[in-house]
Amino acid sequence: MTDRDVLIVGGGLLGASIAWGLARLGLRVAVLDEGDTAFRAARANFGLVWVQGKGLGKSEYSNWTQASAALWPRLSDELKRETGIDPGFSQPGGFSIRLTEVELQRSIDAMDTLQSQPNITRYPYEILNHRETKARLPAIGPTVAGSIYSPLDGHANPLRLYRAFHAALHRMGAAYLPDHHVERISHQDGAFTVEGPWGTLSAGRIVLAAGIGNTRLAPMVGLNVPLVPSRGQIIVTEKTVPFLHHPVGNIRQVDEGGVIIGESKEATMDHQRPRAPVTAVLADRAMRMFPIIGELNVVRIWAAFRIITPDGFPIYEQSRSCPGAFAVACHSGVTLAANHAFTLAGHIAQGAIPASLATFSSERFDVSAAA
């Protein structure tokens, strides 16, 4: 007799979205959350529901991202109906602003290459010069060269999204177990047992959604989740009058009025303190894009460790040696939340990752298999 049908190891946005998807299918779910001692990729979450530019080098990822963006209105509506919490989702289309002609041409070339890939589902986008961009974003600065716009892009409030998932899980009777650091996982007679200082729990299936912790836990069930360091910084300003009604790839104004800035990537995990030189570059680029930002006070700056695989694409995998064990890792937890809740959870409930997602197996990193 197991305690639950499925154990989710990891209580962040990724684990919560999958748990909600499983619970709404009637499975008995428990979410084991290490607590705030974990590195928590969500601390650097920007809140974009973003399609443009994703999938360069893997058309399947572009298609997967587009599918999730299309499901987001349904996700938002269901969470609001179940919990009364509005995830703050809107999909007005998004802009990738470029400050120089070189930057703009590089982005144009990348989009051409991306949309020319075999088997890709092509989507609409526009290349806009300075004048055309300013007609839609009047607050841009004079040095902006142009932008790329896609109507598929949007954004959400990740804190309210996270709260809505957990509120819905509570209403459905799922167990959320904080301070449940998992030290060991064993598999015997078709059941998984997880152990920690708090005791033990068992289930017929287990989903590893523990972010960086997956690298330690995955081998216990015959899986592999390679991750590389990706440190990012976020700047948040005071609230101001609305001036930015569309998300930009590195800047967005939230519904409360504050501006969020963040586009840094550092291949390190040495500490979580903001670095002044990085902050300065972020602020300078943001003010060149929108000079009004230079008039605002900064409320908070912080850094966090994101989750990213060596090639930047997600991992969705089930164990051959321990049937019923799944590992999930991705960088775009907000964008892909709808897919994780509605599509991936359905596959896990059925007990198999389909062939259509085989391209996201970690076996792609197995050099010996590829040789």
Side-chain angles (χ1 to χ4, degrees):
M1 181 67 179
T2 58
D3 299 296
R4 293 277 167 165
D5 296 320
V6 186
L7 298 177
I8 311 288
V9 182
L13 189 53
L14 177 59
S17 60
I18 296 171
W20 180 75
L22 291 169
R24 66 188 293 276
L25 295 175
L27 278 72
R28 298 175 303 143
V29 177
V31 179
L32 287 73
D33 190 355
E34 183 177 356
D36 281 338
T37 56
F39 283 123
R40 288 206 185 282
R43 291 191 180 111
N45 198 311
F46 201 64
L48 293 175
V49 179
W50 204 253
V51 171
Q52 66 166 291
K54 291 189 175 181
L56 187 60
K58 189 181 284 290
S59 59
E60 297 90 346
Y61 184 56
S62 176
N63 299 342
W64 180 243
T65 300
Q66 291 179 60
S68 194
L71 282 171
W72 244 99
R74 176 186 169 193
L75 175 64
S76 179
D77 289 345
E78 289 200 18
L79 288 174
K80 280 190 285 188
R81 184 169 60 251
E82 288 182 26
T83 68
I85 300 169
D86 184 354
F89 170 68
S90 67
Q91 201 168 23
F95 292 80
S96 293
I97 293 178
R98 298 296 177 251
L99 291 172
T100 68
E101 293 295 339
V102 172
E103 285 184 4
L104 182 60
Q105 188 60 52
R106 188 181 298 126
S107 296
I108 293 170
D109 293 343
M111 286 293 284
D112 286 344
T113 301
L114 188 155
Q115 297 261 19
S116 299
Q117 293 177 127
N119 304 316
I120 195 168
T121 301
R122 296 173 66 90
Y123 58 86
Y125 70 96
E126 298 176 64
I127 299 167
L128 306 174
N129 60 27
H130 175 88
R131 178 183 55 79
E132 293 165 332
T133 303
K134 191 170 182 62
R136 304 193 197 186
L137 300 175
I140 63 167
T143 62
V144 168
S147 65
I148 296 180
Y149 168 81
S150 173
L152 303 187
D153 296 322
H155 56 161
N157 184 314
L159 296 179
R160 290 210 299 266
L161 173 63
Y162 183 70
R163 182 184 169 206
F165 273 133
H166 277 272
L169 284 169
H170 179 74
R171 288 170 60 91
M172 290 187 288
Y176 170 67
L177 306 173
D179 302 318
H180 273 56
H181 172 74
V182 174
E183 292 183 346
R184 185 170 180 268
I185 305 172
S186 58
H187 179 241
Q188 187 174 5
D189 299 327
F192 295 90
T193 299
V194 298
E195 304 174 30
W198 41 268
T200 63
L201 280 171
S202 63
R205 294 176 193 165
I206 189 168
V207 179
L208 303 183
I212 295 171
N214 275 3
T215 58
R216 177 180 62 86
L217 297 171
M220 298 181 188
V221 290
L223 291 169
N224 176 42
V225 182
L227 297 170
V228 296
S230 181
R231 185 180 181 276
Q233 289 187 198
I234 301 288
I235 302 172
V236 176
T237 75
E238 63 181 326
K239 298 175 183 178
T240 188
V241 296
F243 71 92
L244 184 55
H245 303 288
H246 296 263
V248 174
N250 62 319
I251 302 170
R252 69 187 191 93
Q253 187 173 25
V254 299
D255 48 6
E256 293 96 340
V259 178
I260 301 178
I261 303 162
E263 62 176 332
S264 65
K265 297 176 183 178
E266 298 176 80
T268 181
M269 291 182 63
D270 51 353
H271 60 73
Q272 290 183 297
R273 297 186 302 275
R275 286 190 173 91
V278 174
T279 302
V281 171
L282 290 176
D284 176 68
R285 288 183 61 82
M287 289 186 292
R288 289 169 62 194
M289 291 180 183
F290 297 98
I292 190 176
I293 291 175
E295 302 172 10
L296 303 177
N297 293 314
V298 171
V299 174
R300 187 181 173 206
I301 304 171
W302 72 93
F305 302 130
R306 302 186 182 102
I307 303 303
I308 192 165
T309 62
D311 62 5
F313 302 120
I315 290 174
Y316 304 120
E317 190 155 21
Q318 58 187 326
S319 174
R320 292 193 180 96
S321 60
C322 301
F326 300 83
V328 182
C330 78
H331 182 69
S332 300
V334 173
T335 298
L336 298 178
N339 267 359
H340 295 155
F342 294 124
T343 306
L344 183 63
H347 296 318
I348 292 172
Q350 293 170 6
I353 299 293
S356 60
L357 294 181
T359 187
F360 300 118
S361 165
S362 68
E363 291 181 355
R364 67 185 189 268
F365 301 116
D366 188 343
V367 177
S368 61

